[in-house]
Amino acid sequence: MKNWYQSLSLHSKQTLIIIMINAFALLVASTLYFYNNVVSYQKSQLAQIESKVQVIAGTVVSAMLFSDAHAAQEQLVPLSQDVGIIYVGIYDTQKTFFANYESRQQHYVRPNFEEYQLGTVHGDNIVEVVREIRFDGEVIGYILLAED
Protein backbone atom coordinates (compact mmCIF):
# COMPACT_ATOMS: atom_id res chain seq x y z
CA MET A 1 0.00 0.00 0.00
CA LYS A 2 1.46 3.30 -1.11
CA ASN A 3 1.11 6.44 0.96
CA TRP A 4 -0.53 9.47 -0.61
CA TYR A 5 2.76 11.29 -1.34
CA GLN A 6 4.26 8.38 -3.24
CA SER A 7 1.16 8.05 -5.37
CA LEU A 8 1.48 11.65 -6.66
CA SER A 9 3.03 12.40 -10.01
CA LEU A 10 6.38 14.20 -10.22
CA HIS A 11 4.68 17.42 -11.30
CA SER A 12 2.28 17.29 -8.31
CA LYS A 13 5.17 16.63 -5.91
CA GLN A 14 7.07 19.64 -7.24
CA THR A 15 3.98 21.82 -6.94
CA LEU A 16 3.38 20.67 -3.37
CA ILE A 17 7.00 21.38 -2.35
CA ILE A 18 6.87 24.84 -3.94
CA ILE A 19 3.64 25.62 -2.09
CA MET A 20 5.15 24.50 1.23
CA ILE A 21 8.32 26.59 0.70
CA ASN A 22 6.27 29.67 -0.18
CA ALA A 23 3.97 29.15 2.80
CA PHE A 24 6.98 28.92 5.13
CA ALA A 25 8.55 32.06 3.59
CA LEU A 26 5.24 33.90 3.97
CA LEU A 27 5.00 32.83 7.61
CA VAL A 28 8.53 34.07 8.36
CA ALA A 29 7.96 37.37 6.55
CA SER A 30 4.64 37.93 8.34
CA THR A 31 6.21 37.23 11.72
CA LEU A 32 9.05 39.67 11.08
CA TYR A 33 6.61 42.31 9.80
CA PHE A 34 4.43 41.97 12.90
CA TYR A 35 7.46 42.16 15.23
CA ASN A 36 8.72 45.27 13.41
CA ASN A 37 5.33 46.96 13.78
CA VAL A 38 5.17 46.19 17.51
CA VAL A 39 8.68 47.59 18.08
CA SER A 40 7.92 50.71 15.99
CA TYR A 41 4.69 51.30 17.91
CA GLN A 42 6.49 51.03 21.26
CA LYS A 43 9.18 53.45 20.12
CA SER A 44 6.62 55.98 18.93
CA GLN A 45 4.71 55.70 22.24
CA LEU A 46 7.92 56.36 24.19
CA ALA A 47 8.71 59.34 21.94
CA GLN A 48 5.23 60.77 22.60
CA ILE A 49 5.66 60.30 26.35
CA GLU A 50 9.06 62.02 26.22
CA SER A 51 7.48 64.94 24.36
CA LYS A 52 4.73 65.22 26.97
CA VAL A 53 7.31 65.23 29.76
CA GLN A 54 9.29 68.00 28.06
CA VAL A 55 6.20 70.15 27.50
CA ILE A 56 4.96 69.69 31.07
CA ALA A 57 8.42 70.40 32.48
CA GLY A 58 8.58 73.60 30.42
CA THR A 59 5.21 74.81 31.67
CA VAL A 60 6.03 74.45 35.37
CA VAL A 61 9.47 76.07 35.27
CA SER A 62 8.24 79.52 36.30
CA ALA A 63 6.15 78.10 39.14
CA MET A 64 9.18 76.17 40.40
CA LEU A 65 11.46 79.18 40.18
CA PHE A 66 9.05 81.21 42.32
CA SER A 67 8.18 78.26 44.60
CA ASP A 68 4.51 78.70 43.71
CA ALA A 69 2.95 75.27 44.18
CA HIS A 70 -0.56 76.61 43.53
CA ALA A 71 0.44 77.94 40.09
CA ALA A 72 2.13 74.63 39.26
CA GLN A 73 -1.03 72.79 40.27
CA GLU A 74 -3.12 75.04 38.01
CA GLN A 75 -0.77 74.46 35.10
CA LEU A 76 -1.27 70.70 35.45
CA VAL A 77 -5.10 70.89 35.28
CA PRO A 78 -5.27 70.76 31.44
CA LEU A 79 -3.72 67.28 31.58
CA SER A 80 -7.21 65.96 32.28
CA GLN A 81 -7.79 66.18 28.51
CA ASP A 82 -5.23 63.41 27.94
CA VAL A 83 -6.90 60.19 29.10
CA GLY A 84 -3.62 58.25 28.93
CA ILE A 85 -1.93 60.24 31.68
CA ILE A 86 -2.59 58.69 35.07
CA TYR A 87 -0.27 60.75 37.27
CA VAL A 88 2.18 63.63 36.98
CA GLY A 89 4.26 64.56 39.99
CA ILE A 90 6.51 67.59 40.28
CA TYR A 91 9.29 67.44 42.86
CA ASP A 92 11.90 69.99 43.91
CA THR A 93 15.67 69.47 43.92
CA GLN A 94 15.54 67.70 47.30
CA LYS A 95 12.97 65.32 45.75
CA THR A 96 10.19 66.54 48.02
CA PHE A 97 6.66 66.79 46.66
CA PHE A 98 5.75 70.10 44.98
CA ALA A 99 2.59 69.59 42.88
CA ASN A 100 0.74 66.84 41.05
CA TYR A 101 -2.04 65.80 38.71
CA GLU A 102 -4.04 62.61 39.24
CA SER A 103 -6.46 61.11 36.75
CA ARG A 104 -10.03 60.81 37.98
CA GLN A 105 -10.63 57.63 35.95
CA GLN A 106 -7.83 55.57 37.50
CA HIS A 107 -6.46 55.44 41.02
CA TYR A 108 -2.71 55.85 41.32
CA VAL A 109 -0.93 55.88 44.65
CA ARG A 110 1.65 58.66 44.84
CA PRO A 111 4.99 56.86 44.99
CA ASN A 112 7.89 57.45 47.31
CA PHE A 113 9.93 59.52 44.90
CA GLU A 114 13.19 58.75 46.71
CA GLU A 115 13.03 55.22 45.26
CA TYR A 116 12.95 56.47 41.66
CA GLN A 117 15.91 57.20 39.42
CA LEU A 118 16.05 59.10 36.15
CA GLY A 119 14.80 57.05 33.24
CA THR A 120 11.86 55.06 32.00
CA VAL A 121 10.29 52.16 33.88
CA HIS A 122 7.81 49.75 32.30
CA GLY A 123 5.36 48.32 34.84
CA ASP A 124 2.11 46.41 34.59
CA ASN A 125 0.42 48.32 31.74
CA ILE A 126 1.98 51.55 33.06
CA VAL A 127 5.01 53.44 31.80
CA GLU A 128 6.68 55.72 34.34
CA VAL A 129 9.15 58.36 33.21
CA VAL A 130 11.35 60.43 35.54
CA ARG A 131 13.23 63.40 34.13
CA GLU A 132 15.00 66.48 35.42
CA ILE A 133 13.41 69.91 35.09
CA ARG A 134 16.13 72.30 33.99
CA PHE A 135 16.41 76.06 33.73
CA ASP A 136 19.56 77.67 32.30
CA GLY A 137 21.37 74.35 32.55
CA GLU A 138 20.62 73.90 36.26
CA VAL A 139 18.36 71.25 37.71
CA ILE A 140 15.46 72.96 39.49
CA GLY A 141 13.32 69.88 40.04
CA TYR A 142 12.08 66.55 38.78
CA ILE A 143 9.01 65.30 37.00
CA LEU A 144 7.40 61.88 37.23
CA LEU A 145 4.84 60.97 34.57
CA ALA A 146 2.85 57.73 34.71
CA GLU A 147 0.91 56.79 31.60
CA ASP A 148 -1.34 53.87 30.82
Side-chain angles (χ1 to χ4, degrees):
M1 179 168 226
K2 293 181 177 180
N3 68 23
W4 68 272
Y5 183 75
Q6 290 176 342
S7 66
L8 293 176
S9 67
L10 178 62
H11 178 70
S12 297
K13 288 178 184 177
Q14 288 176 337
T15 304
L16 182 63
I17 289 174
I18 289 171
I19 289 172
M20 289 174 47
I21 289 171
N22 285 330
F24 178 73
L26 183 62
L27 178 68
V28 169
S30 298
T31 303
L32 292 175
Y33 180 74
F34 177 74
Y35 175 76
N36 185 37
N37 281 345
V38 168
V39 170
S40 296
Y41 176 75
Q42 289 173 340
K43 286 181 181 179
S44 70
Q45 289 296 100
L46 286 176
Q48 284 182 354
I49 292 171
E50 288 291 332
S51 297
K52 290 176 187 179
V53 167
Q54 289 176 355
V55 168
I56 295 167
T59 60
V60 298
V61 166
S62 60
M64 299 227 28
L65 289 173
F66 292 106
S67 298
D68 189 355
H70 180 69
Q73 192 73 37
E74 286 181 1
Q75 291 171 340
L76 296 176
V77 169
L79 296 177
S80 63
Q81 301 299 318
D82 189 340
V83 294
I85 295 178
I86 300 170
Y87 178 83
V88 174
I90 308 296
Y91 300 85
D92 63 13
T93 53
Q94 286 78 36
K95 295 186 176 182
T96 54
F97 176 76
F98 188 73
N100 73 329
Y101 161 78
E102 292 184 57
S103 172
R104 292 191 175 127
Q105 285 86 17
Q106 295 183 355
H107 180 67
Y108 186 79
V109 178
R110 183 170 60 194
N112 180 4
F113 192 71
E114 294 292 326
E115 298 173 2
Y116 283 85
Q117 296 189 8
L118 294 178
T120 304
V121 177
H122 299 273
D124 296 330
N125 296 327
I126 295 177
V127 177
E128 296 174 325
V129 178
V130 177
R131 294 288 182 261
E132 296 174 331
I133 299 174
R134 294 183 166 269
F135 180 74
D136 283 342
E138 292 183 34
V139 176
I140 61 169
Y142 299 92
I143 182 170
L144 165 66
L145 182 137
E147 183 161 308
D148 193 10

